[in-house]
Amino acid sequence: MNILLLGSGGREHALAWKLAQSPRCDNLFAAPGNPGIAQAADLVTLEAGDHAAVVAFCDANRIGLVVIGPEAPLVDGLADSLRAAGIAVFGPSRAAAQLEGSKAFTKALCDRAGIPTAAYEHVRTEAEALAALTRFGIPVVIKADGLAAGKGVTVAETRAEAEAAIRDIFSGRFGGAEAVIEECMVGEEVSFFALTDGATVMPFGSAQDHKRVGEGDTGPNTGGMGAYSPARVLTSALEGEVTTRIIAPTVRQLAADGTPYSGVLFAGLMLTAEGPRLIEYNARFGDPECQVLMTRLDSDLVDLLAACAESRLAACAPPRFSPEVALTVVMAAAGYPGEPRKGGAIAGIAAAEAAGARVFQAGTALDGGKLVGAGGRVLNVTARAAGVRAAQAAAYAAIERIDAPDLFCRRDIGWREAAREDAPTP
Ligand code: AMP
Ligand code: GLY
């Protein structure tokens, strides 16, 4: 089968690496890709926003499966255009991708399906928002409606901070001037993944990421500075509860609404004293969570993604994951999550991989044949080992071999799980 992968980040490098290992994969194409993805796929020039061009490429190259990595083309309806042309695609329709594209859509769906989540109000004007605020305690969570690349959420510790966030949203900085005001939930966060073809739900592993730029989870939010899998705090009992109380009702409700969801559901969960509750959904794999999931996945990825795309997931064996821990450390460019410094030289990837890690590339480019930084998050140094301490040691040992003066990383990725591993078992 010929496969087209869309995207250019570390998530897509991990997907490309895994797709290319499948005996079912004949030719793997990627657009726009990056120098790391080019090791596993043929890079092609294709604009994901030009649906007709993507369809024409698929027809000309007998593409049997399109895998859409990032959320923007999903929210933009690329999967709909491909399905309309009879091309199998892994990723939800525009209507179903609203689970990620609109916080208000997801909250309303949770209401209809009885899914445990934070109490909320959906507001459309600044005055409505300020009035609603008085009905919530502090801290309170303020979210811009619509895609905001992880930057539209404020967990406000004071009323003044909440009011400032509301003013910011209604100043139009996030495009649509709508917001969701939410009760602040307390607990530990985990990410849970499930594949679905709209009818069957297949749990696909757990992870925890580190969203803040600084050690000890301090400083501004980022797309994620590192992750590990599995998240053992999500026990198999809790995973069962999440599947039956959150994921399955979501899939059933979307099907009943006439907008079945096909692809991966990425649930951000809060493990509260009252049980797991949904924070948010994403309509794609997490980045860098995907890198650790792919590092643990022993099953054939093409089988699973094609089964979702072709609505035959029920006939597919559940995924096999290594019981080992995978951990990835993001190396980001100086300045990130603000304006990253670009163009800095990167060397030592082969040495890092010889030391036992795998280096997925995100914001990289070739400049006169030399690898340089070209984005905020640049490399994902990933290791697999029996425990989180061992995986941490392997990833950081590999980082020592990388010579990239413009890049920095957090030195404490996996700290929650490492502390649990160090604690004497009761
Ligand atoms: P989101 O973009 O919805 O994932 O939100 C970003 C982050 O804000 C989450 O990872 C949580 O840490 C935090 N957050 C969002 N909603 C809530 C909530 N209702 N209660 C507590 N924390 C939240
Ligand atoms: N790492 C979080 C995300 O992909 O949204």
Side-chain angles (χ1 to χ4, degrees):
M1 175 192 294
N2 292 342
I3 301 173
L4 171 64
L5 169 68
L6 296 174
S8 64
R11 167 182 50 212
E12 287 77 23
H13 188 183
L15 290 172
W17 170 72
K18 200 69 199 168
L19 289 169
Q21 286 169 26
S22 169
R24 292 185 61 193
C25 181
D26 296 321
N27 295 297
L28 178 62
F29 300 96
N34 68 33
I37 295 171
Q39 296 162 9
D42 291 330
L43 302 194
V44 294
T45 308
L46 258 186
E47 177 52 58
D50 186 347
H51 297 189
V54 178
V55 168
F57 177 87
C58 292
D59 286 340
N61 293 280
R62 292 178 296 105
I63 298 295
L65 176 67
V66 179
V67 178
I68 302 179
E71 61 275 20
L74 296 168
V75 171
D76 181 43
L78 179 59
D80 306 72
S81 300
L82 288 164
R83 285 196 186 98
I87 298 160
V89 52
F90 179 79
S93 67
R94 180 207 304 260
Q98 285 183 82
L99 271 191
E100 171 158 6
S102 165
K103 311 267 186 208
F105 174 87
T106 300
K107 297 303 277 190
L109 181 120
C110 287
D111 281 348
R112 290 204 301 290
I115 292 164
T117 185
Y120 78 104
E121 286 192 44
H122 177 199
V123 291
R124 292 170 186 80
T125 66
E126 187 171 325
E128 235 187 289
L130 293 172
L133 193 57
T134 63
R135 293 186 284 274
F136 288 83
I138 290 290
V140 63
V141 182
I142 314 288
K143 299 184 177 183
D145 197 31
L147 285 184
K151 297 188 183 79
V153 177
T154 303
V155 180
E157 304 287 345
T158 64
R159 204 155 290 276
E161 203 186 328
E163 288 169 2
I166 287 169
R167 276 195 298 276
D168 201 21
I169 288 170
F170 290 97
S171 72
R173 192 153 77 87
F174 300 103
E178 291 191 19
V180 169
I181 300 184
E182 276 184 26
E183 159 203 9
C184 187
M185 300 185 286
V186 179
E188 185 164 341
E189 278 186 67
V190 297
S191 301
F192 181 67
F193 298 84
L195 300 181
T196 179
D197 57 5
T200 299
V201 169
M202 186 180 271
F204 199 68
S206 64
Q208 277 184 307
D209 80 345
H210 298 65
K211 286 206 168 83
R212 304 298 195 93
V213 74
E215 270 143 40
D217 295 334
T218 54
N221 257 320
T222 69
M225 294 299 291
Y228 54 93
S229 172
R232 294 210 175 97
V233 16
L234 193 72
T235 59
S236 58
L238 284 173
E239 191 174 307
E241 192 178 335
V242 169
T243 304
T244 53
R245 295 193 59 209
I246 299 179
I247 308 291
T250 301
V251 169
R252 275 199 303 272
Q253 186 67 48
L254 285 167
D257 292 346
T259 52
Y261 189 100
S262 170
V264 60
L265 262 178
F266 164 6
L269 303 168
M270 190 73 87
L271 302 181
T272 74
E274 297 81 44
R277 295 168 81 189
L278 181 72
I279 301 172
E280 60 148 5
Y281 274 127
N282 294 303
R284 45 155 181 100
F285 283 111
D287 187 347
E289 290 89 335
C290 185
Q291 290 82 313
V292 286
L293 288 178
M294 292 305 131
T295 300
R296 289 184 52 232
L297 182 66
D298 287 331
S299 304
D300 186 318
L301 184 64
V302 175
D303 276 345
L304 292 164
L305 302 193
C308 287
E310 294 162 4
S311 305
R312 45 176 187 75
L313 201 55
C316 229
R320 282 173 289 106
F321 283 101
S322 161
E324 289 193 327
V325 173
L327 182 142
T328 190
V329 178
V330 171
M331 298 185 76
Y336 180 76
E339 197 49 50
R341 190 184 301 159
K342 292 186 185 161
I346 300 167
I349 288 184
E353 294 201 323
R358 181 158 307 283
V359 180
F360 296 116
Q361 298 186 28
T364 59
L366 290 174
D367 182 7
K370 293 225 182 319
L371 194 68
V372 298
R377 295 187 292 171
V378 178
L379 301 177
N380 312 137
V381 182
T382 311
R384 191 170 124 173
V388 72
R389 279 283 182 218
Q392 238 179 6
Y396 286 112
I399 282 175
E400 292 307 314
R401 310 261 185 121
I402 292 178
D403 183 14
D406 280 356
L407 304 187
F408 72 96
C409 66
R410 274 180 62 167
R411 307 297 312 188
D412 65 345
I413 299 304
W415 66 268
R416 274 199 188 81
E417 196 65 34
R420 275 193 279 267
E421 197 171 279
D422 293 346
T425 36

